[in-house]
Every structure is written in structure tokens, then in C-alpha cells.
């Protein structure tokens, strides 16, 4: 059995606990949190303090980091990769090279293995962009997200001082999608493809305009988009904005001989973004343990991992059943 620990228990952490229950070769040995463990409501797993994790070297095969990308993972992933094999879902696309370099250094020094930036984007969508662009080098790839709640962006909003709670929807520009599917070649800026809509609950006496300005100018998250901000009550947020559906499409339109058109489309329709993302992390946790056993130390991304490493089936079974 692969022994797994969860570090940080929010939406993603809960999703990992649920996903592990469906895996036959993996078991959850504990949830590690910065909060008082008795205040964390798990679905059966035992919760511990972060200090208790330090003593567990050798007893845990892989830690799945479920903190937020904005401020948790940039420090937590390198910190815990000192002691354990790790997986994270770091999704600040522009900062992935920097995060990779930091984790790679720690992992190589300490002979551990880490797979960073797993999930669906970055993650499965990245893989599909790679497949499409390698197979059809003459072509154009476009990725659309939503309409759905972006956890990374919602998390970034909640970290702003004065914000009590917040949800962010990513909305694809459907007109542009239709034009692409009809074969139009478009030069698209980031701003043309998606809109962002934020529903924000503020603390008492917090200045709405100051917060609105902080949001729409936030680099990497909102500055490059048309962003609408609505200030609402906690009750309204709870009633209308607590489901976490998401999804998206990677569309690659390419040509082969002369003008023969070929379209590749990879689509996800998710009723729960965190539960799905968690399931991707769990499959990559298995790959991480296998890489570590083979002494492939250092940091990796989904682009480096052979697909068979995700599976609990043998190579022979996979050849027989899937080819
Ligand atoms: P949450 O805000 O729910 O949780 C983040 C951290 O906050 C937790 O690890 C937890 O740490 C702490 N926390 C959770 N609940 C509470 C609470 N009630 N009070 C105080 N602290 C709390 O974030 P999500 O789980 O929704 O998302 C995590 C990250 O997942 C996102 O930032 C995003 O980057 C990533 N993601 C990546 C995707 C991809 O495709 N690559 C897709 C979706 C998400 P602790 O227990 O230590 O307090």
C-alpha cells in the first residue's frame, strides 16, 4: 500500500481524502494542518499539526500538498520536499519555472521526488497542448476555461486584507469559440478570450473602491483581463455561489498536406473542480512514488511522466487492455 499524507485541508484536501477512498493501492495516513487539528472537520481521516509531520520521515511515501498557489505552495512545497516525496497543484502559470527550479534544487539535494503543477490546468490541458502541437505543428492551439469557479483566483481574492470571502467565475468568450471552430484564424489577446467576474464579501468599514482597484490590477491574476467586481453579503454568497463547477476545452486547429484541416478537441465538464483536481493529484502521487523508487530524484511536471506510471495496472495488463 502507498502511504499518503495530505498537507492542508481545504476544498482540494477534502477532494484528496474522497479520491483516495476509490484507490485500491493507496491509503491515507493523516491530514496535516496549520490550524488546531480538532477544528478541522475531515471525513474520517485523523488530523495532526505540521510539527507532527516532521517525525514521520520514512513512514509516508508521498505528501499531497493542498495549499493555495498564491502564498502557501511557494513555501510549503520546497519546505516539505526536504523530507518527503511531494505533489502539488501550483497553478500560477507565469511563476511555474521559478517554482520548479526551487523545488528541483531541494529535491535533488535531499534525494526526494516532486511532481509540481499537476491538476487539469496546469496538468491534463498542458499534456493535451503538447500532444496537439507535436502532432500538428502547423496550427493554432487555444484554451478556454469555464464558465466556472477558479479556485486559484478565488483563493487570491480571499488573501486580500479586508476580504472576508470571495468567489471568482471565469467566463469564456463564446463568440470567439464559435469563430475558431468555423475555421477562422484569429490573433487573440488574453483579454479577448475570457472575462472574470468576482463576488466579494468585505469586512466592516472596508473601502470598496480600494479593494476593487487592488483586484483589477493584481498581476498574474486579473490585470490582463476585463474584470467585474460585485460586493455582496455572506448570505448571498453562501446561497448562490458555493457550488464549484468548472471545465474547459483545448482546441487545436491544424493542417497537414496542403490545406487538409484537422481539429483536436479535449474537453472537461466538471461538477466539482476540487474533487476532479484532487483525483488527478492522487494518480500523479502514484507516479511520484514509482519515480522515487527508481531513484529519479528532482522535480518533474506532467510533461515528464510516462502515462503508465499513473496506473495501478502492470505494463502487461495495460498493453492487453488499452492498446
Ligand atoms: P482552500 O482555500 O480551500 O484551501 C487552501 C488552504 O487554506 C488549505 O490547505 C488550508 O490549509 C487552508 N484552509 C482551508 N479551509 C480553511 C478555513 N476554513 N480556515 C482557515 N484556513 C483554511 O483552497 P482550495 O483547496 O480550493 O484550492 C487550493 C489550490 O488548488 C488553489 O490555490 C489552486 O492553486 C489549486 N488548483 C489547481 C488546479 C489545477 O488544475 N492545477 C485546479 C484547481 C485548484 P491548513 O489546513 O494548513 O490551514
Amino acid at each position: 500500500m502507498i502511504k499518503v499524507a495530505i498537507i492542508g485541508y481545504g476544498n482540494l484536501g477534502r477532494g484528496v481524502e474522497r479520491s483516495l477512498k476509490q484507490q485500491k493501492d493507496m491509503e491515507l495516513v493523516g491530514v496535516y494542518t496549520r490550524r488546531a487539528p480538532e477544528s478541522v472537520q475531515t471525513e474520517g481521516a485523523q488530523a495532526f499539526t505540521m510539527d507532527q509531520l516532521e517525525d514521520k520521515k520514512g513512514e509516508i511515501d508521498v505528501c499531497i500538498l493542498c495549499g493555495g498557489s498564491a502564498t502557501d505552495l511557494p513555501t510549503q512545497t520546497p519546505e516539505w520536499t526536504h523530507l518527503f516525496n511531494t505533489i502539488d497543484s501550483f497553478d500560477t502559470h507565469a511563476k511555474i519555472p521559478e517554482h520548479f527550479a526551487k523545488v528541483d534544487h531541494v529535491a535533488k539535494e535531499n534525494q526526494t521526488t516532486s511532481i509540481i503543477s499537476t491538476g487539469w490546468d496546469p496538468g491534463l490541458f498542458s499534456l493535451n497542448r503538447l500532444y496537439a502541437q507535436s502532432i500538428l505543428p502547423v496550427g493554432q492551439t487555444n484554451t478556454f476555461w469555464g464558465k466556472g469557479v477558479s479556485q486559484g483566483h478565488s483563493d487570491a481574492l480571499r488573501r486580500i486584507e479586508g476580504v472576508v470571502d470571495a468567489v471568482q467565475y471565469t467566463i469564456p468568450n463564446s463568440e470567439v469559440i464559435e469563430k475558431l471552430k468555423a475555421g477562422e484564424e484569429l490573433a487573440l489577446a488574453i483579454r479577448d478570450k475570457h472575462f472574470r467576474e468576482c463576488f466579494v464579501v468585505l469586512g466592516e468599514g472596508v473601502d470598496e473602491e480600494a479593494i476593487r482597484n487592488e483586484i483589477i490590477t493584481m498581476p498574474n491574476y486579473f490585470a490582463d483581463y476585463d474584470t467585474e467586481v460585485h460586493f455582496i453579503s455572506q448570505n448571498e454568497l453562501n446561497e448562490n455561489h458555493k457550488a464549484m463547477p468548472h471545465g474547459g476545452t483545448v482546441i487545436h486547429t491544424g493542417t497537414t498536406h496542403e490545406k487538409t484541416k484537422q481539429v483536436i478537441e479535449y474537453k472537461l465538464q466538471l461538477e466539482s473542480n476540487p474533487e476532479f483536481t484532487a483525483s488527478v493529484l492522487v494518480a500523479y502521487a502514484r507516479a511520484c512514488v514509482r519515480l522515487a523508487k527508481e531513484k529519479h530524484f528532482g522535480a518533474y511536471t506532467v510533461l515528464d511522466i510516462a502515462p503508465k506510471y499513473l496506473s495501478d495496472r502492470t505494463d502487461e495488463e495495460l498493453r492487453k487492455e488499452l492498446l
Side-chain angles (χ1 to χ4, degrees):
M1 281 296 236
I2 297 172
K3 293 187 170 16
V4 184
I6 293 173
I7 300 182
Y9 195 85
N11 300 307
L12 200 57
R14 183 171 300 103
V16 170
E17 184 178 10
R18 288 180 181 173
S19 169
L20 284 169
K21 288 178 183 159
Q22 298 185 329
Q23 300 286 359
K24 292 189 224 74
D25 60 333
M26 302 172 115
E27 66 174 317
L28 178 59
V29 297
V31 165
Y32 292 85
T33 175
R34 291 163 295 185
R35 285 166 287 159
E38 59 279 10
S39 71
V40 175
Q41 301 267 312
T42 69
E43 293 181 348
Q46 221 184 326
F48 303 95
T49 64
M50 291 295 196
D51 290 345
Q52 289 172 291
L53 183 56
E54 283 176 25
D55 309 328
K56 296 286 177 189
K57 192 172 158 61
E59 292 174 39
I60 292 169
D61 295 311
V62 58
C63 292
I64 304 184
L65 285 114
C66 298
S69 289
T71 55
D72 296 338
L73 298 175
T75 53
Q76 286 184 334
T77 310
E79 186 187 338
W80 292 112
T81 303
H82 271 115
L83 295 176
F84 300 102
N85 302 316
T86 56
I87 297 285
D88 80 17
S89 67
F90 183 72
D91 70 355
T92 314
H93 294 255
K95 291 190 178 165
I96 289 173
E98 186 189 321
H99 185 61
F100 180 90
K102 223 157 116 185
V103 178
D104 189 47
H105 178 75
V106 174
K108 284 186 174 140
E109 248 185 14
N110 294 280
Q111 303 214 321
T112 57
T113 304
S114 180
I115 307 178
I116 63 148
S117 300
T118 52
W120 57 281
D121 201 357
L124 302 180
F125 274 14
S126 323
L127 269 182
N128 279 278
R129 287 188 284 261
L130 180 144
Y131 286 135
Q133 291 169 9
S134 308
I135 294 163
L136 298 174
V138 179
Q140 195 189 24
T141 315
N142 280 287
T143 305
F144 293 90
W145 304 275
K147 180 184 179 178
V149 174
S150 160
Q151 290 182 74
H153 288 77
S154 301
D155 188 43
L157 291 176
R158 290 192 291 265
R159 305 281 160 145
I160 296 172
E161 209 181 319
V163 171
V164 174
D165 204 351
V167 167
Q168 192 265 187
Y169 293 95
T170 306
I171 304 166
N173 186 336
S174 46
E175 246 174 68
V176 164
I177 295 180
E178 288 316 310
K179 282 184 185 169
L180 285 171
K181 282 188 174 171
E184 272 190 51
E185 274 187 31
L186 303 171
L188 296 169
I190 290 176
R191 201 175 288 281
D192 300 326
K193 293 170 66 180
H194 299 90
F195 312 107
R196 297 200 179 276
E197 193 173 23
C198 310
F199 291 87
V200 179
V201 181
L202 292 183
E204 282 270 316
V206 177
D207 179 358
E208 286 188 2
E209 281 322 299
I211 298 287
R212 188 192 309 278
N213 194 49
E214 189 169 344
I215 293 171
I216 64 175
T217 58
M218 193 188 291
N220 299 322
Y221 284 89
F222 297 102
D224 298 329
Y225 297 86
D226 288 337
T227 302
E228 233 180 276
V229 183
H230 309 279
F231 295 104
I232 59 171
S233 69
Q234 184 74 60
N235 278 349
E236 193 182 336
L237 193 89
N238 293 348
E239 263 170 44
N240 301 328
H241 302 286
K242 281 293 177 186
M244 281 186 274
H246 216 326
T249 316
V250 178
I251 302 172
H252 183 84
T253 314
T255 50
T256 47
H257 178 63
E258 292 177 349
K259 289 265 176 236
T260 311
K261 192 177 281 179
Q262 322 276 15
V263 178
I264 303 175
E265 191 173 344
Y266 179 75
K267 187 171 182 178
L268 292 175
Q269 233 171 297
L270 311 173
E271 228 171 82
S272 166
N273 179 8
E275 284 184 23
F276 181 77
T277 304
S279 303
V280 180
L281 265 81
V282 166
Y284 276 95
R286 182 184 287 119
C288 181
V289 172
R290 190 154 159 193
L291 283 174
K293 275 199 183 133
E294 293 172 0
K295 301 196 185 307
H296 294 300
F297 302 125
Y300 298 87
T301 73
V302 295
L303 304 181
D304 305 307
I305 309 298
K308 67 179 186 178
Y309 279 32
L310 304 181
S311 176
D312 65 345
R313 287 183 268 178
T314 64
D315 293 2
E316 290 73 20
E317 284 169 337
L318 290 174
R319 275 194 292 272
K320 215 164 118 188
E321 292 162 23
L322 298 184
L323 289 180

